[in-house]
Amino acid sequence: MIVQEPVQAAIWHCLNHYDYTDAVFLSERLYAEVKSDESLFLLATAYFRNGQKDHAYHILKDRTDASAQCRYLFGICAYELEKYAEAEDVLLENQSGSNSMDNIVEEFGDQAAFALVLLGKIAAKTERKARAIDAWKRALKLNPFLWSSFESLCKIGDKPNPQNIFQINNMENLSMCHGNSINNIESVVITTNAISQDNQETFNTPPPSQQILTNFNPNMNAKQLCTPEDSPLAAPLCMSGIRPIQGTRKVMRVKPETGSNSPQPTFGQFFDSPSDYGSPTFSQPMLPGSNSHHQSLAKRMRAQVDLFINRKESIFQNCKPVFSQSTNVPATKTPTIPLAIQPCQNVRRSSRLFSNNYSVKENNKSPNRNKFATPKSPSRKTKQRISKCNLNKNSSYTELNTRNKMEKEKSETVTSSETEKSAIPPSATAESCIEQAIQMQRQSAEGLMCLLRDIGEAYLDLSQFNCVTAIERLNSLPPNQFNTSWVYCLLGLAYFEQADYETCVKYFSEVHDKEPYRLEFMDVYSTALWHLQKEVVLSALAQDLVNLNKNSPITWCVSGNCFSLHKEHDTAIKFFQRAVQVDPHFPYAYTLLGHEYITTEELDKAMSCFRNAVRLDPRHYNAWFGIGTIYSKQERYRLAEMNYAKALSINSRSSVILCHIGVVQHALKETEKALATFNTAINNNPKSPLCKFHRGSVYFALGRHAEALKELEELKEIVPKESLVYYLIGKVHKKLGNTDLALMHFSWATDLDPKGASSQIKEACDPAFGRSNPDIETPASPSPEEYPSESNSEPRAAPINYNGLPDDSEDSF
Amino acid sequence: MSLKRASNVDPIKNERAGNVREVGSQAIWSLSSCKPGFGVDQLRDDRADTYWQSDGQLPHLVNIQFQRKTTISDIYIYTDYKLDESYTPSRISIRVGTHFNDIQEIEVITLSEPSGWVHVPIKDIRDKPIRVFMIQIAVTSNHQNGRDTHMRQIKIHSPIETPNIPMDNFLNFTTVELQQHATIR
């Protein structure tokens, strides 16, 4: 044992400071020395964080007797390496035969929530939707901080109820979220030896990893860890060995900034009350941040700091035994308890305090990070602010709370109250301090939960495509949260789904200006720009992203969109293929690639792309829409209609999909249905020009000219520059016999579109002169837009041209 | 060296305009003869500084065979008298058909010190683009009676058709306001 501890502590130290090479080296040596579970776990963690997932996978592979944390890490490695069956097996290893997840909680303790999240992800990848939903729901019940599970539930089509999910019901729950926070408390500053005695007594169960105060080499790290000029923050920080450099000063500076910028956050800032160190003067009950005035906060801070400076000597001495948890410094009074885990915890804990890093594990998927951090990593701004808040925390309780990292600590059954009690010097205010601490903890968590509930509602609405409600909810978030990139991106996405591309682009451009290095959702932004045909902005965006990160599929999607807009489809295809190569699990890349293939008429390749997209994400309605488009190009209208209907079932409010369905129905000669569909589309989205246009053309095809005319006239108001509108009006007039009006509209149409890209205008001349009506002769669908089929590359004739094209419209290949 | 755009002939511009598509990539190219290192790849690499050099007897042939009957609207050939002098073709015959034994000459063009892209529009007697399985570009004589020929680049354009389907009308709106709603991407 003696061999392990300092080395382990050193390894964790390296890991916490991102020096993975050394960590790997040291853990290899340690493992060679002591082949225990713990050292194996450490070795695997070092490999994993160093990016050597396969190495970690292989060393953990065949250990049947591995501890829960090893199994969990193995599960993660296997998942990353796409070995889903093995991952699942190892997580469910000790389940009695059945596939149930009921025993996970006992098995994994603190890690149970994460194990469940992983099980859910595995089930999702292996297309077991119900099981995935079940797993994620359980995970959320255990640990409501896991926003990503909520997101996954929404994405997979389930409708979780944020009000129920994001609740902190009892302290037990909270402790589960924090991992061994309760445990962590002991490592916190313990001012007198007597306290440590208390620690001993007040534990219900003897947790293996509780006492830091083991005898070992007290001075070795202490010197390194603490410096005399420690700021109040320093004291606890010493534990991690982090020099709490200029902590105080930082604190001071920071306070006014954070305070003045925004109203107090509802969570994350309230642990300013310095009710630690047992000083009676500090046991001012402190309300959650939202209620506190930042000035008083600053005052308290200053007072606190002063006090700490005065007491730092004593603290220092007292802390010394505590500090070297990494080295298991013993308190003279307490017996040594071999701490396999504790040193690591402690080191990590304090580093967490300052770095506000979200995970000790790099691939920590759960956003259950620092409780003070916002759940989904939104903007750096908020993060910084919160980390600054963290710096302000002087109390030991803040450390308690900041150590809420879910790790592999063995779960404790000690309730927080007990442990907190233990950490307090035996002063009169000890108990009340603890209660305050608990109170504050709860309030902080509650603040976060409140936010999560709101965001959860908005996100749920968005994933069900209730865009309007989603936008409302997002707009009603508190301003400091609202001004984060993530929320803006969600708003942009909501507008995008409504096909309101202008507003969408507005939000996204703000996001991009604020944070040019943010990559998520930029693919949506690029598609919106593509729709709006804003070439310059899109090119600039593509350039920025390519310079930023060539390894993300989003970059290549954006570049592909850019080239597609420039009509260089081959290059666009090349880039989308690159996006697929970079990340084969990104469905949107496949969808975009499919659309490009459609444009280059490679329909079979397009079909396979869309199918891939759908396989990856069955709710990706763009892909279903693409499949429908392919079928409609192949004139298999029934199949097209089915696929469009599938897309519609996912996103029921999209008027574009409804339009397409209407057109297909019309092609199938089910005009009544088509009209009904168009009516629905227009009801959903009264200003949508596309629906009006198609409804007008259907009326025209049906011979209901008056209605057609009315429709098209309205459309003319909405979109005055669209040549096709005038062309259609011209045709209606022609049908009605108003030749002069018809000619007028045709000439307007040609004016607006001189290139005649809509080659339909060529026919304008013939009907204008009462020649045989091409309508009647058109073999296929009656829709007026059929004309182009007959004249592929006609030289464009002016509307009035007797000589031109006598035979054209009648000819067909 | 980038391909020079003659004043009025620019195949790329038309491609960008969205009316036509370059379909050479859908075809199989073969040559009657070539010097090693100066073959089909150099003819199709989008670079004006590489060229095909034939190595046999006149007429020199470029055969382009499609897998399906393809509509062809234009052929563009890039040659440069200043660089190639006697290697520059002076008379080119375009033959089309279904296979080697079933092709007919539809076009003969005479070049006189060309420098850049030469545009050969392809139309049948009814002035419509033709639908063929195979195109053969034959160089029947060169400038200064040279024996071999250099050809730097060839592009084949096919019009983007709007077939008989209502769907495609979606893509033809002129204004952005309507076009943005035309489809889901």
Side-chain angles (χ1 to χ4, degrees), chain A residues 33-51:
Chain A
E33 198 68 36
V34 178
K35 284 192 167 35
S36 78
D37 221 27
E38 183 58 33
S39 51
L40 176 66
F41 174 69
L42 196 48
L43 180 58
T45 309
Y47 280 134
F48 189 86
R49 288 196 208 179
N50 197 21

Side-chain angles (χ1 to χ4, degrees), chain A residues 463-482:
Chain A
S463 63
Q464 298 295 325
F465 299 102
N466 299 332
C467 300
V468 183
T469 33
I471 292 174
E472 271 171 31
R473 288 192 207 269
L474 286 172
N475 280 329
S476 65
L477 285 178
N480 52 349
Q481 291 293 336
F482 179 74

Side-chain angles (χ1 to χ4, degrees), chain B residues 16-42:
Chain B
R16 289 244 177 88
N19 301 330
V20 289
R21 190 167 44 230
E22 212 277 321
V23 292
S25 50
Q26 292 173 13
I28 299 175
W29 294 69
S30 55
L31 306 166
S32 62
S33 60
C34 78
K35 190 171 133 173
F38 295 87
V40 176
D41 293 330
Q42 283 69 32

Side-chain angles (χ1 to χ4, degrees), chain A residues 571-731:
Chain A
T571 329
I573 288 181
K574 190 172 76 157
F575 282 132
F576 288 133
Q577 281 172 340
R578 216 179 267 188
V580 165
Q581 265 183 329
V582 159
D583 182 2
H585 295 289
F586 187 63
Y588 199 43
Y590 287 104
T591 312
L592 290 172
L593 185 54
H595 282 295
E596 282 310 304
Y597 277 136
I598 290 186
T599 334
T600 46
E601 304 278 333
E602 292 170 271
L603 295 180
D604 32 9
K605 288 197 200 162
M607 184 63 91
S608 74
C609 286
F610 286 129
R611 292 215 188 281
N612 268 326
V614 166
R615 168 182 61 90
L616 287 171
D617 180 6
R619 288 191 86 237
H620 194 61
Y621 72 95
N622 313 44
W624 289 111
F625 183 85
I627 299 181
T629 315
I630 294 181
Y631 282 130
S632 70
K633 272 195 186 279
Q634 293 172 333
E635 302 198 22
R636 292 153 82 175
Y637 295 120
R638 187 53 73 188
L639 284 167
E641 189 189 355
M642 272 168 35
N643 282 293
Y644 283 143
K646 181 90 174 77
L648 193 66
S649 68
I650 298 173
N651 179 357
S652 43
R653 283 189 187 62
S654 163
S655 45
V656 181
I657 302 184
L658 282 169
C659 264
H660 280 251
I661 294 184
V663 173
V664 168
Q665 282 167 339
H666 184 56
L668 283 169
K669 311 265 188 290
E670 295 169 355
T671 25
E672 289 311 309
K673 271 209 251 172
L675 277 177
T677 319
F678 284 129
N679 289 337
T680 334
I682 295 188
N683 289 341
N684 277 348
N685 193 353
K687 290 199 290 330
S688 157
L690 190 74
C691 310
K692 287 183 115 42
F693 181 77
H694 282 286
R695 195 159 74 170
S697 61
V698 169
Y699 281 144
F700 174 59
L702 288 177
R704 288 148 76 164
H705 299 295
E707 288 161 332
L709 216 45
K710 183 167 84 69
E711 200 73 45
L712 292 171
E713 292 292 331
E714 284 170 20
L715 193 55
K716 209 164 61 165
E717 302 304 313
I718 299 178
V719 196
K721 291 244 165 69
E722 177 60 50
S723 71
L724 279 181
V725 173
Y726 291 103
Y727 173 62
L728 202 49
I729 299 180
K731 284 219 291 218

Side-chain angles (χ1 to χ4, degrees), chain A residues 544-555:
Chain A
D544 285 344
L545 291 184
V546 167
N547 285 337
L548 183 65
N549 181 358
K550 292 205 168 88
N551 283 329
S552 157
I554 295 180
T555 315

Side-chain angles (χ1 to χ4, degrees), chain A residues 79 101 112-126 128-144 146-158 160 165 365:
Chain A
Y79 177 79
M101 304 185 257
F114 302 106
L116 284 168
V117 170
L118 187 56
L119 276 172
K121 286 198 277 199
I122 296 171
K125 288 268 186 205
T126 47
R128 286 175 288 172
K129 184 169 150 178
R131 191 178 162 82
I133 292 180
D134 186 32
W136 282 326
K137 283 195 167 148
R138 285 178 199 237
L140 278 173
K141 229 185 308 190
L142 285 176
N143 184 350
L146 300 180
W147 169 261
S148 70
S149 308
F150 180 78
E151 252 192 30
S152 311
L153 280 172
C154 290
K155 282 197 186 137
I156 208 172
D158 190 41
I165 289 182
K365 305 239 189 314

